[in-house]
Amino acid sequence: MNGLDWNTIYWIYLLGSGGICFLIIAFLIPHRSAPSARFLLILMVAVAEWCIVSAMEIKVSDLGDKLFWVKLEYLGAAWVGVLFLFFILVVTGKEAWLTRKRILMLSVVPISVIVLALTNDFHHLLWSDAWLNNEGLAPLVAYQRSVGFWIFITYSYILMISGLSILIKELFISRELYRKKLLVILLGALIPWGANGIYLFELSPLGHLDLTPFAFTLSGLACAWGMFRYQLMNIISLAHKTIIEGMEDVVFVLDIRDRIIDLNNSAAKVFDILLDTAKGRQLSGALPVLNQYIIQYRKTRASQNDISLMVNQEKREWNLRISPLYEKVNEPGGWLVILEDITDRKRAEESIRESEEKFRSISANALDGIVMFDLTGKISFWNQAAETIFGYSVLEAIGMDFHQITTPGSGSIKDSKASQLLANTTLETKISKTLELVATHKNGEEIPVELSVSSLVLKGQWHAVAIVRDISERMRTQELMIQTEKMISVGGLAAGMAHELNNPLGGILLGVQNISRRLSPELNANKLAARETGTDLESLQGYLKKRGIIKLLDGMSELGMRASTIISDMLTFSRKSESKMEQTDLAESIGNSIELARKDYDLRKSYDFRNIDIITDIDPNLPPIFCNPVEIEQVVLNLLTNAAQAMAEKTSNGSPRISIRLFVQSGKVILEIEDNGPGMDQSIQNRVFEPFFTTKPVGQGTGLGLSVSYMIITNNHAGSMEIESEPGKGTKFIIRLPLDQNSASREENQD
């Protein structure tokens, strides 16, 4: 043993290890497009550098020269642990973990160790002392290790342990074919592990000779052999191959000439082709339609498009994904083609789209409001009709509390119960009921609404859906119907009363008139009767005047005439007019009524039309309508008189003013008479057309003027008469008459 030149043997051993590394590198270069081969190639470059420089260390004899080459050894040795982990991650299909940021982080320690090695003479962080140890077979450098070296060794072992752990885990979960491949790599990885441990703990019979570079050479040789033997460097990596075989999507791998290199079972099944016979064929010959799509959509980068393909005589929708497979930078060596059957998804999406379109169309065109809200009342849906009813836009309404705008304001028991029922609607107390209550418009106005409330559950959350209908017009119609029924009932009563009172009242008036005539000293018959009875008529007249009897008789006559007027109004109220219906210029009739009103002046009535500003706005193109001009003039005069009497009490804005507007709208003639008087509350409005209802003091009104006007418009002219008023804001009467000249007559004939 002592006769052998161990120094030369060590030198040859290290040069041989480096040579083996270069052979492995040469073997891997043609396969460098595969990530696993590329990382193994880089690892072998580092090991080769370590081996060659270590050989140079053996060759020189001076300690200073040896330390020079020791420092250069770290240029390769420092990277071995990191590159080993990178290789393991790629082989096991976890290359996605190797982001740029993580690679840089893991490279910090190797770079730092290289810097420390080259500058160790200044800080001694890797070794504090070094000497030539001649106790072995050849003189080798021995070290007094420092903290930096042990940190580096610990870091390297952590990386190697992590890599081995990943390998062992994949070994247990992989299929049989892949398990053999991973076992070869695992055995190769354990060789340097053991060699480095022998060196660090000085268990080698060769003294301080580091066997780790040679061990990594053997490890690289084992990995390269395993990759060649089990085809780990194919264009499809092992991990990806496993995934592709298990995919339900259709997968093709094409070379640069569009030949089928590989395909999965789904592709063979869908297109009814054999796996073995398909490989190597031109795609244009096997599947020409698919080939045309690939040529059309293929790019130098990944692309994705939806296409239609006939499969088993059925048109199916597919998502076509084409990805280039690069062998060289910017030079694709093949193509990965994936087809996902999206027919069912497309049909579902189309069904959903149609359903959404229908819902949007229904909700947008619905006359009723559609509102959805949750347990807290928070609004999540609000259609156009709801915006019209409540005045809030969609953006304003979403997120609002629906209970706040449906709180009753009338104070009625019915509204309160309905609102309480709506507010208490919960998951446990689902309701499917129709509620009537008073809601609040954005402008503060109270509006009667009808809500049909039902419940549903979306994504586990309870919601209520309310169909909202503005029933203001219905309420007005109901009020008009009730009013009409009242008028009909009272009309019959009025007719009977008028006939019963008319005869005795006529006798009373005739008797009063006869008494006055027979007391008059101017009639010859009275003079003759007075002389026969010895009565002095002059003295009798003085007595009657002195006692106020003459005044009483005049009062009785005036009251009788007033009662006669009331009875006449009652008769008019209770029966249809016998006046003639004819084509009438309404503007002229309104002018006649205004002229009559201007002549109405009485100090006792406290109003004077000469002090009232009457403003008219009459459509000059208004056509004549079929009506009774006398009755229309009577109605207008009644309304003007009522307005004047109301404004005599108080005006809401400035001097007394009456506005008269006449125009055509929606096939009807609209007559509006508006004053700026004190207005009236809702309770008075509800009774204003009732017979004998009046707010005037006793003796100043009969309570029949508006009732008669209402009956003239509704019964005799098939129109409508409404009132709009608020306290302090004046009053407006709205009369609607049919523009069609036959409407009124048809309505009359039906009656």
Side-chain angles (χ1 to χ4, degrees):
M1 295 280 293
N2 291 334
L4 296 175
D5 185 1
W6 285 99
N7 199 59
T8 302
I9 293 173
Y10 287 170
W11 179 71
I12 295 173
Y13 140 76
L14 290 171
L15 282 180
S17 298
I20 294 173
C21 288
F22 281 119
L23 290 175
I24 296 173
I25 291 170
F27 169 75
L28 292 173
I29 286 176
H31 305 286
R32 64 185 181 278
S33 60
S36 56
R38 186 163 55 251
F39 277 98
L40 182 59
L41 187 151
I42 299 172
L43 175 60
M44 287 297 98
V45 170
V47 174
E49 191 275 347
W50 191 3
C51 292
I52 298 300
V53 175
S54 296
M56 297 304 295
E57 176 201 346
I58 294 293
K59 193 64 176 174
V60 299
S61 57
D62 182 72
L63 177 61
D65 293 337
K66 285 183 177 290
L67 289 177
F68 170 79
W69 291 109
V70 166
K71 293 176 182 178
L72 294 182
E73 288 174 16
Y74 279 94
L75 294 176
W79 289 103
V80 170
V82 173
L83 292 173
F84 174 79
L85 178 62
F86 290 172
F87 170 71
I88 296 300
L89 289 171
V90 172
V91 167
T92 55
K94 295 178 174 59
E95 61 266 30
W97 189 88
L98 291 174
T99 62
R100 184 186 297 265
K101 181 178 179 181
R102 287 171 177 162
I103 290 175
L104 291 174
M105 289 176 61
L106 291 172
S107 301
V108 170
V109 172
I111 294 172
S112 301
V113 168
I114 292 171
V115 173
L116 290 176
L118 296 175
T119 60
N120 188 74
D121 293 341
F122 300 96
H123 47 71
H124 302 291
L125 290 176
L126 288 183
W127 63 86
S128 58
D129 191 15
W131 63 92
L132 281 176
N133 188 333
N134 296 310
E135 297 177 359
L137 299 175
L140 299 172
V141 179
Y143 303 90
Q144 181 64 44
R145 307 292 187 184
S146 297
V147 63
F149 175 83
W150 294 114
I151 292 175
F152 166 60
I153 291 299
T154 303
Y155 178 73
S156 298
Y157 268 67
I158 290 173
L159 296 180
M160 293 183 68
I161 292 172
S162 300
L164 291 173
S165 299
I166 294 171
L167 268 177
I168 293 171
K169 181 179 179 181
E170 288 295 320
L171 193 63
F172 283 101
I173 64 176
S174 297
R175 295 190 298 179
E176 181 65 25
L177 175 63
Y178 305 129
R179 188 176 296 121
K180 293 179 181 179
K181 303 170 185 177
L182 295 176
L183 185 59
V184 172
I185 297 174
L186 177 61
L187 293 175
L190 290 175
I191 297 173
W193 178 284
N196 189 253
I198 292 173
Y199 169 70
L200 289 176
F201 295 100
E202 300 180 355
L203 301 176
S204 172
L206 302 177
H208 291 279
L209 181 63
D210 189 359
L211 299 176
T212 307
F214 178 71
F216 268 109
T217 301
L218 295 178
S219 177
L221 188 61
C223 292
W225 177 81
M227 294 171 70
F228 176 79
R229 172 65 178 81
Y230 294 103
Q231 298 180 347
L232 288 177
M233 293 178 294
N234 281 347
I235 196 169
I236 304 174
S237 68
L238 294 176
H240 288 173
K241 186 70 174 177
T242 304
I243 295 172
I244 290 173
E245 287 298 337
M247 290 177 64
E248 293 184 0
D249 295 342
V250 172
V251 179
F252 289 96
V253 179
L254 308 178
D255 66 8
I256 196 64
R257 296 174 182 170
D258 289 339
R259 289 178 300 186
I260 300 174
I261 302 301
D262 201 0
L263 69 160
N264 67 350
N265 292 325
S266 296
K269 181 178 180 181
V270 169
F271 292 104
D272 194 21
I273 53 180
L274 298 176
L275 287 171
D276 295 334
T277 58
K279 292 180 181 180
R281 291 183 62 189
Q282 289 289 139
L283 184 65
S284 58
L287 299 167
V289 178
L290 177 59
N291 185 68
Q292 291 176 5
Y293 279 122
I294 292 174
I295 294 173
Q296 178 181 353
Y297 294 118
R298 182 164 53 197
K299 301 175 182 178
T300 56
R301 51 186 172 81
S303 63
Q304 182 171 236
N305 301 90
D306 290 346
I307 64 173
S308 298
L309 280 177
M310 294 294 293
V311 176
N312 297 326
Q313 298 182 347
E314 179 186 4
K315 185 179 180 181
R316 307 286 294 180
E317 301 295 325
W318 303 85
N319 178 253
L320 171 63
R321 299 193 295 276
I322 308 173
S323 301
L325 301 173
Y326 291 101
E327 287 186 344
K328 298 180 181 180
V329 178
N330 296 327
E331 292 186 17
W335 306 92
L336 176 64
V337 179
I338 301 177
L339 283 169
E340 179 188 1
D341 189 346
I342 58 173
T343 306
D344 294 338
R345 189 181 76 192
K346 283 282 188 180
R347 290 171 180 171
E349 289 175 352
E350 184 63 26
S351 177
I352 293 172
R353 190 180 300 109
E354 290 180 0
S355 178
E356 290 176 347
E357 287 289 340
K358 290 178 182 178
F359 176 76
R360 277 195 293 267
S361 178
I362 291 171
S363 62
N365 294 286
L367 297 178
D368 295 337
I370 303 175
V371 182
M372 186 165 68
F373 54 92
D374 60 15
L375 278 171
T376 64
K378 184 178 179 181
I379 297 172
S380 56
F381 182 82
W382 186 267
N383 74 337
Q384 183 65 40
E387 180 177 337
T388 302
I389 294 172
F390 295 102
Y392 294 98
S393 67
V394 175
L395 293 178
E396 292 173 324
I398 297 300
M400 288 181 61
D401 186 353
F402 186 61
H403 299 127
Q404 293 296 321
I405 59 177
T406 53
T407 301
S410 64
S412 68
I413 296 176
K414 177 182 178 182
D415 286 341
S416 298
K417 288 182 177 180
S419 183
Q420 184 179 7
L421 181 59
L422 176 64
N424 292 336
T425 301
T426 63
L427 183 60
E428 291 77 18
T429 59
K430 297 178 182 178
I431 59 173
S432 296
K433 298 183 178 180
T434 299
L435 312 175
E436 287 188 9
L437 43 79
V438 177
T440 306
H441 193 273
K442 181 181 178 180
N443 61 14
E445 179 185 351
E446 292 182 349
I447 48 175
V449 295
E450 179 182 86
L451 274 76
S452 297
V453 185
S454 58
S455 62
L456 56 85
V457 177
L458 293 176
K459 296 181 180 180
Q461 299 294 322
W462 182 91
H463 292 79
V465 177
I467 306 300
V468 187
R469 178 173 298 166
D470 185 349
I471 57 173
S472 302
E473 190 65 33
R474 183 204 299 175
M475 298 296 287
R476 283 194 291 267
T477 302
Q478 289 177 351
E479 291 174 1
L480 290 175
M481 290 176 64
I482 294 171
Q483 183 68 27
T484 302
E485 290 297 325
K486 284 184 180 179
M487 302 300 281
I488 293 173
S489 299
V490 174
L493 177 63
M497 291 176 60
H499 285 294
E500 291 297 326
L501 292 175
N502 205 31
N503 290 333
L505 181 60
I508 293 172
L509 287 175
L510 182 61
V512 171
Q513 184 181 12
N514 285 333
I515 291 174
S516 297
R517 287 175 55 83
R518 293 184 183 186
L519 290 175
S520 173
E522 297 177 358
L523 294 177
N524 292 328
N526 293 344
K527 293 177 181 179
L528 179 60
R531 282 195 299 269
E532 291 177 355
T533 58
T535 301
D536 184 2
L537 286 177
E538 297 295 337
S539 299
L540 180 60
Q541 282 291 322
Y543 172 79
L544 293 175
K545 290 179 180 180
K546 186 72 174 177
R547 296 294 294 164
I549 295 174
I550 298 297
K551 187 176 181 179
L552 289 174
L553 289 174
D554 291 340
M556 291 173 64
S557 178
E558 182 180 347
L559 291 175
M561 292 303 297
R562 185 173 170 213
S564 177
T565 300
I566 293 173
I567 292 173
S568 177
D569 287 343
M570 291 173 63
L571 287 171
T572 302
F573 171 79
S574 62
R575 65 171 177 256
K576 294 213 177 270
S577 173
E578 297 179 358
S579 301
K580 183 180 179 182
M581 301 285 282
E582 59 188 39
Q583 291 288 344
T584 303
D585 184 353
L586 275 186
E588 182 180 348
S589 296
I590 292 173
N592 294 337
S593 299
I594 294 174
E595 289 301 318
L596 287 173
R598 291 187 188 279
K599 298 174 183 177
D600 186 8
Y601 170 70
D602 191 336
L603 288 175
R604 293 178 300 172
K605 297 178 182 177
S606 302
Y607 66 86
D608 185 352
F609 269 100
R610 292 174 297 180
N611 297 325
I612 298 175
D613 186 14
I614 300 179
I615 303 171
T616 59
D617 181 9
I618 299 176
D619 185 354
N621 299 319
L622 187 74
I625 69 166
F626 195 68
C627 69
N628 187 322
V630 176
E631 291 183 343
I632 296 299
E633 290 175 12
Q634 179 184 350
V635 170
V636 174
L637 184 59
N638 281 342
L639 295 178
L640 293 175
T641 302
N642 279 351
Q645 292 172 349
M647 289 187 294
E649 302 174 8
K650 181 181 178 181
T651 59
S652 59
N653 183 16
S655 59
R657 181 179 66 254
I658 297 176
S659 299
I660 301 175
R661 290 177 287 274
L662 185 63
F663 55 93
V664 175
Q665 185 182 76
S666 302
K668 293 184 179 296
V669 176
I670 311 299
L671 172 60
E672 296 180 350
I673 299 179
E674 182 177 8
D675 64 57
N676 63 340
M680 60 185 77
D681 58 30
Q682 189 62 47
S683 62
I684 295 177
Q685 293 180 53
N686 292 338
R687 301 188 61 194
V688 73
F689 295 124
E690 292 183 6
F692 307 112
F693 175 77
T694 181
T695 58
K696 301 182 181 69
V698 177
Q700 291 190 17
T702 65
L704 287 172
L706 289 178
S707 298
V708 171
S709 299
Y710 181 84
M711 294 302 293
I712 288 173
I713 296 300
T714 58
N715 279 14
N716 297 356
H717 291 82
S720 65
M721 186 172 181
E722 302 172 11
I723 183 172
E724 292 181 0
S725 181
E726 290 185 39
K729 295 185 178 181
T731 301
K732 178 167 68 175
F733 286 92
I734 305 171
I735 296 173
R736 293 181 175 84
L737 297 173
L739 187 60
D740 182 4
Q741 64 178 2
N742 296 319
S743 296
S745 59
R746 281 200 301 267
E747 184 71 21
E748 186 175 0
N749 292 335
Q750 290 174 2
D751 292 343

